[in-house]
Amino acid sequence: MRLSFTSACCPSNFSIFTKPSLCTNLHRTVCSSSLSSLPTSLKPQVPLFLRPPVHSATVPDLRNWHDWAKNLASSVGTRFQDSDNGPDSSLLSRELKWLMEDAIEDHSVFSQLGIGNNQTNVRLKAGIEELYNLWKQRIEERRPFQYVVGCEHWRDLVLSVQEGVLIPRPETEHIVDLVADVVSDDEGLREGLWADLGTGSGALAIAIGRILGSCGTVIATDLSPIALSAAAFNVRRYGLQDAIELRQGSWFEPLKDVEGKLAGIVSNPPYIPSDNIPGLQAEVGRHEPRLALDGGLSGMDYLFHICNGAASMLKPGGFFIFETNGEQQCKCLVKYLGNDMRGSFRSLDIVSDFAGIQRFVTGFRQ
Amino acid sequence: MSFLILRKSLRSSKVTTQNPRISFLFSYGSPSFLYKTTEAPSGSRRLSHLIPENPIPPSGSPIYRHSFSGIYSNSLPSIKNLSQFRQSPVILTLFRYFGTEAAIQPSTADGLTVEGILASNWTILDESESDWKSHAAAIAQSIHLIKKRLRWKKLVVRLDLLSMELNKPDLWDDPVHAGKISREHGSLMGKMKQVRAFERELLEHIDMIKLAGEENDADMESESLKALVRMRRNSKEKELQAMLAGEQDSCSCYIEVQAGAGGTESMDWAAMVMQMYKMWAQQRGYKVTVVDEMPGEMAGIKRATIKVDGEYAFGYAKAEVGVHRLVRISPFDSNKRRHTSFAAVAVIPIMGDGSTRVQINESDLRIERFRAGGAGGQHVNTTESAVRIVHIPTGITATCQNERSQHQNKASAMAVLQSRVDQLEMARQAQMNAQHTQSLTDITWGSQIRSYVLHPYRMVKDLRTSYEVSDPDSVLEGDLDGFIMSYLSASIDKDEDGR
Ligand SMILES: C[S@@+](CC[C@H](N)C(=O)[O-])C[C@H]1O[C@@H](n2cnc3c(N)ncnc32)[C@H](O)[C@@H]1O
């Protein structure tokens, strides 16, 4: 079976993996994508915790590695924090614990790490050599922990992520709560067609796919083929192939067939002003895809674009929620939606995240 | 007053309550009156219980109100034990019926009761001695202790009261109240039945031993003797269980440890205390999860919360509430001076879904993200997703940072918060009922309960019970049961004496 994405002209097909026999000419295989020059192969990487435990090490070897890794974490102190608000050593120690959780098959080993010289072998999902490398990358290259273990715990999901795919942020979880509120007392929205623009790992699409009713579906789009392959992996892992359709393309471009039919649109588009990109925390700036972060000069290029499209894409009464960079972008967007696009939307609102930063703009199509 | 005398001849047939040969004893009909006695063909009288199959009304159904639910089950175990009679007709059980469950005093065929055994002051010998009187006396003593621990007299009064409540025709107009009453009734009734069954078992074995003596049946005698030894061992377990008869005792719980003033040395002590509880819980077979942990700057913890999952976790752990004091040469003091530090322990029951829990309004909550600085969102990559929830009306807060997603941290913190609010509410109600004189802070953190001295001598001593051990290491490795049991028995037995 070959991984391919249904394009806009095959809307009835809601599966991610399509047999080449049907509408072959309508499918564009990802290999021919213009973004195939990205360094990672398009076969999605399997997160560490899902790999088979085919490696092994003795308890003392594992302990040596752990002690070395712990020391390395301690040596960081607050250095990263002081330079770019990166992780301090206590955070890194916790990550080390989670790395072990993901890498070790049998968790009862943890209690043995402190004591005894047990020579029995521990089954591992990565060789001890690789564990040394992974932790070195974490500390020395500031490779994000989520890329090191290949997954991010987000809401009640564990999502596969890899280089080229934005690691979903905790702030974004709140979008799902807000959507849940909106659909809980509106059957039309609950059973309707939703769009997640710039789906990345598929986080929003999957979480929303799980709260919609049995007839509710989500179309998730992204320009990046790597993001889409990770999203496809995640959608399949949660068995949502029938509820979520992935489409490749820029914003609304692959959604022409559903114009005016959407019950809801969610999006967390790139919103960081271009000037801020060089000063980003190393984990973000050096490792996460610029395509997922850079929102143009003001950071609002895509937010404006999506607002404009939302007016024609949403059905009357349809709901939208967009994530922004903070208070300034929220206010600017609300003003734009209320003034420049007067008459298109109602009940415009700004919602804060748990850190108290104004983060989301919501509203309904008139 | 009426008598139940049952004559029955059974030849080594297995009899269960389902056996058609005995089910005729029970006829089900209108619950409008309690029982009637009828002349059995043999001339002896028989009690028929007109009782519904399920004595606890299904929730919402006001049909069966029962001041009688204990009666028929009372006779079940005796009938079960009929199987042990292999000889010609015998008088099985005789007991008087006064109209309330509690007044039923089981006795042997010749009128011996558990009280009677106690009064006889039979010598209690070692378990290995095959003297039935010794076994019987030991078991009777256990039963006495169990009743004391269950506050038997109060239990009886309370049950009567609940039965009256259950009989009120308008009971189910308030289903929440009715549910509460019927749950409590069921639970108390369960306890009472267990004790009664245990008493009857004892008396029946005595009956049998006497019978075996009369009929020179050595097999039967040794079988019954063995049964008594089993009961005697079992009774120790039952004594323990009786200590944990409180409403929440069987619940899982949270254990929280907070370092006292005194910097790193105190925080290290708090971590040692937490470690002690983790090991204790694991040794008891409980599941332990760290919910929240605030590490100290140099070592140890400022505070931490663990969740202890399993039967009776709260019942045992509640004995640990209070301030724990450590005296030692501090490893953090370069001058090697002796330090005294303190750690406070709180234990919070996690109430089951059956209990009435406080309804928390979403709008009364403030949810905050921890350590959030800077722009957040796409700017930041962090695995830190700790959440703190504040319950604005009570000021109670809960934090969780050990889950890997913010959503899960929030869910965990919410669970802790709910339990704390529930506990506060229970404490408030208890205070209103004037059953407790402790202040609310005492209930949460208590006062100093135990000293751990590592220098100049080595000893752990409980200030409440004076229970002490000279090996602090074993205690710090979780060997706490001695302390817990001695405290539980001291507090409950003392309490009962005072009433
Ligand atoms: C900030 S990420 C959000 C990812 C995911 N929705 C989340 O919240 O974790 C922005 C996403 O938009 C995608 N993107 C960037 N430009 C796009 C475009 N022109 N059309 C569609 N998606 C685009 C990026 O590939 C990236 O996956």
Side-chain angles (χ1 to χ4, degrees), chain A residues 128-332:
Chain A
I128 197 98
E129 202 94 318
E130 193 183 347
L131 289 178
Y132 275 100
N133 275 332
L134 287 173
W135 195 245
K136 233 191 230 144
Q137 290 164 357
R138 175 70 190 107
I139 307 284
E140 287 170 10
E141 296 169 22
R142 306 275 307 269
R143 188 180 180 207
F145 176 73
Q146 298 90 338
Y147 289 160
V148 167
V149 291
C151 74
E152 160 76 337
H153 290 234
W154 190 83
R155 289 188 67 86
D156 51 348
L157 307 170
V158 183
L159 300 165
S160 166
V161 292
Q162 63 186 85
E163 267 80 3
V165 182
L166 184 102
I167 298 158
R169 304 293 198 250
E171 285 88 347
T172 311
E173 289 182 347
H174 203 43
I175 291 183
V176 183
D177 296 327
L178 296 166
V179 169
D181 284 349
V182 167
V183 300
S184 71
D185 43 30
D186 187 327
E187 192 185 338
L189 297 185
R190 190 164 63 242
E191 303 293 346
L193 177 61
W194 287 68
D196 171 19
L197 305 178
T199 194
S201 59
L204 283 171
I206 292 169
I208 290 169
R210 279 153 56 103
I211 57 173
L212 291 183
S214 50
C215 298
T217 48
V218 185
I219 304 177
T221 73
D222 209 295
L223 197 56
S224 154
I226 302 174
L228 281 171
S229 83
F233 181 91
N234 290 324
V235 168
R236 241 171 100 85
R237 218 169 81 72
Y238 285 97
L240 290 170
Q241 296 96 312
D242 292 340
I244 299 175
E245 183 189 357
L246 298 174
R247 296 184 182 183
Q248 188 177 18
S250 182
W251 308 126
F252 294 105
E253 185 196 87
L255 298 177
K256 295 210 172 86
D257 58 320
V258 292
E259 187 165 349
K261 295 183 188 154
L262 292 177
I265 302 177
V266 301
S267 185
N268 172 21
Y271 54 61
I272 299 181
S274 303
D275 290 351
N276 294 2
I277 299 282
L280 286 174
Q281 181 198 344
E283 278 81 1
V284 182
R286 276 195 233 157
H287 296 273
E288 292 199 287
R290 185 167 183 145
L291 180 71
L293 302 167
D294 191 341
L297 204 58
S298 67
M300 298 191 65
D301 289 6
Y302 302 123
L303 281 167
F304 284 131
H305 178 77
I306 291 170
C307 284
N308 289 332
S312 61
M313 295 304 293
L314 283 173
K315 66 178 188 186
F319 175 76
F320 73 84
I321 173 163
F322 305 133
E323 184 173 322
T324 79
N325 199 26
E327 181 174 345
Q328 219 186 345
Q329 289 191 359
C330 276
K331 290 201 163 132
C332 185

Side-chain angles (χ1 to χ4, degrees), chain B residues 36-196:
Chain B
K36 63 181 183 202
T37 50
T38 50
E39 282 300 313
S42 64
S44 64
R45 272 178 294 175
R46 194 168 81 209
L47 178 63
S48 314
H49 304 265
L50 304 177
I51 309 182
E53 194 132 18
N54 176 7
I56 304 297
S59 63
S61 145
I63 301 166
Y64 302 121
R65 295 177 202 97
H66 42 92
S67 58
F68 45 73
S69 59
I71 299 168
Y72 85 123
S73 39
N74 237 326
S75 33
L76 289 185
S78 353
I79 286 156
K80 263 187 189 160
N81 284 317
L82 285 174
S83 62
Q84 291 169 14
F85 286 80
R86 288 168 299 171
Q87 297 295 313
S88 40
V90 288
I91 294 168
L92 175 66
T93 307
L94 173 143
F95 61 82
R96 279 166 289 170
Y97 180 67
F98 283 112
T100 72
E101 161 71 19
I104 304 164
Q105 277 268 19
S107 67
T108 59
D110 53 7
L112 183 63
T113 62
V114 172
E115 304 268 294
I117 298 176
L118 281 170
S120 315
N121 272 324
W122 291 335
T123 320
I124 298 179
L125 305 168
D126 193 77
E127 204 178 272
S128 55
E129 304 282 336
S130 48
D131 168 19
W132 72 264
K133 283 189 174 174
S134 144
H135 295 322
I139 297 166
Q141 246 178 29
S142 283
I143 292 174
H144 182 68
L145 183 63
I146 289 166
K147 282 185 168 177
K148 205 165 112 173
R149 288 181 172 172
L150 291 176
R151 297 177 165 86
W152 192 256
K153 287 195 189 108
K154 280 192 165 180
L155 186 96
V156 171
V157 173
R158 181 81 189 143
L159 258 176
D160 270 353
L161 212 88
L162 292 170
S163 299
M164 266 159 57
E165 281 278 302
L166 286 175
N167 274 326
K168 286 187 184 155
D170 58 351
L171 172 75
W172 288 93
D173 292 352
D174 179 354
V176 175
H177 174 71
K180 226 174 119 179
I181 296 288
S182 117
R183 257 197 311 277
E184 190 185 347
H185 182 269
S187 137
L188 294 188
M189 193 53 102
K191 278 172 196 149
M192 173 171 283
K193 281 183 198 162
Q194 269 193 21
V195 176
R196 284 298 187 215

